[in-house]
């Protein structure tokens, strides 16, 4: 199976599961075979603008979790968001950021297991597609762009553009809060797990981080935490 297809399958499943848990029910399953319609482009611009090489994330890696320090990585995340936006606008100038997604396996470290942040955009003049940029967290690999027809990720709810004025917590800060509301205990109990972290604003809701811990030890255990990206209010879904 091509790597692009694997990446889209993982992202699509994570988005459906987490947003459905927040009260948004998908109409149907994602048609995984149609991921072949995605496109991928390597970075060619090394001049310091969109597509420039990234420096590895700074920050601490506490031995108990591996999670980066939220304050230490904030400047890099702002740059990453701006660069991802500029990069995708080279092929669709009017896109707006709609979702941010990342995932961890068996650790919360940026240097272990999966190491990619996904930025998902929509276009008011080209509404038939989602425009996606994946940005490796290791600072070594280039950004890549993908295009996906909306019918291949068909949801019966509206996800609104990210209101940047309310985006005050980055994903590491959201994870820190989720860790304190049962995430750390969940990881201690389940040594093999996946953690997905998605920033989204479903219609009628605030901008939230949706954090899902899923055990992969056969127990079927799951913990879902919602963190308001503006106020840091935490609730268990």
């Amino acid at each position: 199976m091509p790597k692009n297809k694997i990446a889209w399958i993982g992202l699509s499943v994570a988005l459906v599961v987490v947003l459905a848990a927040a009260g948004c029910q998908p109409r149907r399953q994602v048609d995984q075979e149609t991921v072949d319609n995605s496109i991928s482009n390597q970075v060619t611009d090394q001049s310091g603008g969109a597509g420039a090489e990234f420096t590895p994330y700074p920050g601490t890696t506490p031995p108990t979790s591996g999670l980066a320090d939220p304050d230490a990585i904030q400047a890099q995340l702002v740059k990453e968001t701006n660069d991802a936006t500029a990069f995708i606008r080279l092929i669709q100038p009017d896109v707006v950021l709609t979702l941010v997604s990342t995932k961890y396996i068996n650790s919360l470290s940026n240097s272990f297991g999966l190491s990619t942040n996904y930025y998902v955009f929509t276009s008011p003049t080209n509404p038939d597609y989602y425009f996606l940029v994946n940005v490796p967290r290791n600072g070594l690999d280039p950004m890549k762009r993908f295009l996906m027809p909306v019918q291949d990720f068909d949801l019966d709810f509206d996800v609104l553009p990210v209101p940047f004025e309310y985006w005050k917590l980055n994903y590491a800060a959201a994870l820190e809060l989720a860790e304190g509301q049962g995430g750390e205990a969940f990881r201690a109990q389940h040594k093999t797990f996946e953690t997905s972290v998605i920033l989204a604003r479903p219609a009628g809701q605030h901008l939230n981080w949706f954090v899902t811990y899923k055990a992969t030890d056969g127990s079927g255990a799951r913990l879902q935490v919602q963190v308001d990206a503006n106020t840091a209010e935490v609730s268990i879904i």
Side-chain angles (χ1 to χ4, degrees):
M1 181 179 293
K3 290 183 179 179
N4 290 353
K5 182 178 292 186
I6 295 172
W8 260 117
I9 290 172
L11 176 66
S12 299
V13 171
L15 290 173
V16 170
V17 169
V18 174
L19 292 179
C24 308
Q25 298 299 322
R27 277 198 292 267
R28 60 178 177 83
Q29 294 291 328
V30 175
D31 182 0
Q32 298 176 352
E33 295 304 318
T34 57
V35 178
D36 288 329
N37 293 324
S38 64
I39 61 172
S40 173
N41 297 284
Q42 288 199 350
V43 178
T44 57
D45 175 14
Q46 302 297 329
S47 63
E53 290 184 351
F54 288 94
T55 56
Y57 282 4
T60 58
T61 53
T64 56
S65 69
L67 183 62
D69 180 85
D71 293 331
I73 67 173
Q74 178 60 24
Q76 177 66 20
L77 289 173
V78 171
K79 178 182 184 299
E80 177 180 296
T81 303
N82 291 336
D83 284 351
T85 302
F87 191 39
I88 198 65
R89 282 180 175 170
L90 293 175
I91 60 174
Q92 185 66 40
D94 66 346
V95 294
V96 291
L97 183 63
T98 304
L99 294 167
V100 179
S101 175
T102 194
K103 186 177 182 180
Y104 294 91
I105 295 179
N106 299 336
S107 170
L108 300 182
S109 171
N110 284 330
S111 58
F112 182 83
L114 294 180
S115 58
T116 301
N117 293 336
Y118 287 90
Y119 293 82
V120 182
F121 299 82
T122 54
S123 164
T125 61
N126 197 355
D128 294 333
Y129 293 92
Y130 289 109
F131 300 82
L132 181 132
V133 180
N134 71 349
V135 182
R137 293 195 299 265
N138 61 15
L140 302 176
D141 299 318
M143 294 185 293
K144 292 184 179 181
R145 295 170 291 192
F146 301 87
L147 182 68
M148 186 177 188
V150 295
Q151 63 265 30
D152 297 347
F153 190 64
D154 195 12
L155 305 174
D156 65 355
F157 59 89
D158 293 325
V159 178
L160 303 177
V162 170
F164 282 87
E165 66 271 26
Y166 297 117
W167 185 4
K168 297 180 181 178
L169 295 180
N170 60 40
Y171 73 87
L175 270 171
E176 272 194 348
L177 292 169
E179 285 283 287
Q181 294 295 318
E184 183 176 6
F186 185 96
R187 291 187 300 100
Q189 185 175 0
H190 305 281
K191 299 303 182 182
T192 59
F193 63 91
E194 297 177 354
T195 304
S196 66
V197 189
I198 297 173
L199 179 74
R201 185 192 177 196
Q205 298 188 34
H206 294 156
L207 180 68
N208 288 294
W209 286 103
F210 299 95
V211 182
T212 300
Y213 295 82
K214 178 184 176 182
T216 56
D217 54 9
S219 67
R222 182 187 299 267
L223 172 67
Q224 296 173 312
V225 182
Q226 180 175 304
V227 180
D228 190 303
N230 178 37
T231 66
E233 180 180 352
V234 181
S235 57
I236 305 299
I237 301 175

